[in-house]
Structures are given as structure tokens and as C-alpha cells.
């Protein structure tokens, strides 16, 4: 079973998940890592940013097929899946969970990590090792708003719940604690 964690790039998903995992024992996987693995295996592409630029829509779909199969394998036990609800591209917002992926995966919880847009821009600026925030990703307000829309529509499809957590500046530990509480209850629910 899968608890999905989403949020715009640089909001602090991975940080908050690591904080949560100090309180609750649950493995985490990053969908992007599976996606890159699939891109390497199928097309010899290793760079995350090259995937969007070089591949056709059909090839992109093939990566989703392969990556979601890998996720399904590891999701025999409860896992956290760190990923994106919507990917901001030049051509518009692309769902992180197209229907054929959503159908395949056993998801029963969505956690949306949000923060003040200005604080997110600051985090992206400081975290220079990563390429984030240029082009369509710059409109954090719209992206965060549409993430909620996307996640609720995914949740309706899956009968899953949606938990929204604010990752305030300097308070990733607190956000992590809230996420851990939700994950504990989610795990209890799975066992009962
Ligand atoms: P991506 O989608 O690109 O993987 P992410 O949402 O996982 O991004 P992180 O890598 O966790 O984001 O965090 C981005 C940067 O923001 C990091 O430098 C991290 O240390 C910092 N950060 C995370 N949470 C907070 C916070 N509450 N206050 C200040 N800085 C934070
Ligand atoms: Mg991350």
C-alpha cells in the first residue's frame, strides 16, 4: 500500500519525509528515481532533465509503465512514494499520475506538502545543487493551487484521503512530526 507525498519542487517534501521517518518506520521511494532507471534501461538516458526534452509522448508513457511496475513491486508492504502531483512543462501541467498509472497503484493516502511561495523561492535559490524553479515552475502559486485540484481528483478515483501539511520556514521537524502522526494512523488502519 502506498502513501503518496507530493508538493512543488523545493517545497521540502524529501526533508519533511526524512523528519517523519525519525518517528515512524516506513520505507520511502522516489518515483523520479524509478523513472530515471526506466529511462536508462529503455533509452540510455541518465539525466533527469533530458527525459522531458528528448522523449516522445509514447516513450514517456512507456517510462511511466515501467516505473509504476517497479513501484508496485515494492508496494507489497506499506511505503511512502515521494513524487509530484503535476509537473510544470512549457506545454502545460502534466499529471504525475496519468490514469493508467493511477489505476495500477494501491494508493490510499495523499499528503500534500505546501509552503509560502516566497519561502519556496528562497529554498530553491539556496539549494543550488538542484535545477528548479525556472520557466513554468516559477509560478508557484498556480502550481500549488493546481496540485490540490489534481490530488483531490486522484483521491476521488482511489477512494483515498488527502492530508495537507504546511512546511513553515525553519520548521521542517514540526511538519515531519505531523506527517508521522498521520502515517501512524494510516498504518494502524491498514493493520486493522
Ligand atoms: P524536489 O521536488 O525537487 O525533490 P523537495 O520538495 O523534496 O524538492 P527538499 O529537497 O526537501 O525539497 O528541500 C529543498 C530545500 O529546502 C533544501 O535545501 C532543504 O534543506 C530546504 N528546506 C526544506 N524544508 C525547509 C524548511 N521548513 N525551512 C527551511 N528550509 C527548508
Ligand atoms: Mg525531493
Amino acid at each position: 500500500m502506498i502513501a503518496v507525498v507530493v508538493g512543488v519542487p523545493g517545497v521540502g517534501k524529501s526533508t519533511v519525509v526524512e523528519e517523519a521517518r525519525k518517528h515512524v518506520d516506513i520505507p520511502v521511494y522516489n518515483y523520479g528515481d524509478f523513472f530515471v532507471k526506466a529511462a536508462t534501461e529503455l533509452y540510455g538516458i541518465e539525466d533527469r532533465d533530458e527525459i522531458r526534452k528528448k522523449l516522445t509522448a509514447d516513450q514517456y508513457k512507456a517510462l511511466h509503465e515501467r516505473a509504476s511496475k517497479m513501484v508496485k513491486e515494492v508496494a507489497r508492504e506499506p511505503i511512502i512514494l515521494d513524487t509530484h502531483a503535476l509537473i510544470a512543462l512549457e506545454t502545460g501541467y502534466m499529471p504525475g499520475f496519468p490514469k493508467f498509472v493511477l489505476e495500477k497503484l494501491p494508493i490510499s493516502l495523499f499528503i500534500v506538502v505546501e509552503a509560502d511561495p516566497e519561502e519556496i523561492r528562497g529554498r530553491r535559490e539556496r539549494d543550488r545543487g538542484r535545477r528548479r524553479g525556472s520557466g513554468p515552475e516559477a509560478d508557484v502559486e498556480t502550481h500549488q493551487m493546481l496540485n490540490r485540484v489534481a490530488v483531490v481528483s486522484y483521491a476521488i478515483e482511489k477512494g483515498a484521503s488527502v492530508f495537507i501539511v504546511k512546511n513553515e520556514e525553519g520548521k521542517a521537524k514540526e511538519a515531519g512530526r505531523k506527517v508521522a502522526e498521520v502515517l501512524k494512523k494510516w498504518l494502524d488502519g491498514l493493520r486493522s
Side-chain angles (χ1 to χ4, degrees):
M1 194 53 79
I2 305 171
V4 169
V5 176
V6 296
V8 299
V11 69
K13 293 178 293 299
S14 303
T15 308
V16 169
V17 164
E18 279 320 304
E19 288 298 334
R21 292 178 67 239
K22 292 177 183 170
H23 308 284
V24 59
D25 182 24
I26 172 166
V28 60
Y29 295 91
N30 188 304
Y31 192 71
D33 293 343
F34 288 118
F35 215 72
V36 174
K37 191 162 185 271
T40 308
E41 288 171 4
L42 286 178
Y43 310 117
I45 293 178
E46 288 181 18
D47 184 272
R48 221 166 261 251
D49 296 312
E50 270 184 49
I51 296 174
R52 293 184 207 164
K53 288 181 202 146
K54 285 198 175 163
L55 299 184
T56 64
D58 280 349
Q59 288 175 318
Y60 202 81
K61 191 173 177 198
L63 293 188
H64 261 307
E65 295 275 13
R66 205 172 176 109
S68 54
K69 210 169 157 188
M70 294 182 210
V71 174
K72 210 177 163 190
E73 280 297 310
V74 293
R76 290 165 200 252
E77 59 169 345
I79 64 159
I80 299 170
L81 187 64
D82 178 343
T83 187
H84 294 101
L86 293 173
I87 297 112
L89 302 179
E90 297 292 343
T91 47
Y93 290 97
M94 177 96 105
F97 293 91
K99 198 173 172 77
F100 66 94
V101 172
L102 195 60
E103 271 170 2
K104 196 155 38 181
L105 298 179
I107 301 167
S108 59
L109 173 63
F110 288 91
I111 297 172
V112 186
V113 182
E114 295 183 346
D116 178 87
E118 273 312 308
E119 291 175 1
I120 294 170
R121 283 188 258 272
R123 288 170 203 173
R124 289 175 176 179
E125 188 63 26
R126 286 194 298 275
D127 201 9
R128 287 186 181 276
R130 299 278 305 272
R131 274 172 286 179
R132 303 186 184 100
S134 58
E137 272 185 3
D139 185 357
V140 178
E141 287 83 353
T142 306
H143 198 170
Q144 287 207 124
M145 183 271 289
L146 288 177
N147 273 352
R148 287 189 174 197
V149 175
V151 166
V152 169
S153 72
Y154 298 151
I156 291 169
E157 190 77 21
K158 301 304 288 183
S161 52
V162 176
F163 183 79
I164 298 175
V165 64
K166 194 154 187 201
N167 180 24
E168 289 180 45
E169 197 62 17
K171 295 188 176 172
K173 274 188 192 309
E174 283 80 345
R177 225 172 276 132
K178 284 182 195 161
V179 168
E181 285 311 307
V182 172
L183 288 170
K184 280 181 201 163
K185 286 180 186 143
W186 176 69
L187 287 172
D188 287 348
L190 294 180
R191 288 188 198 110
S192 62

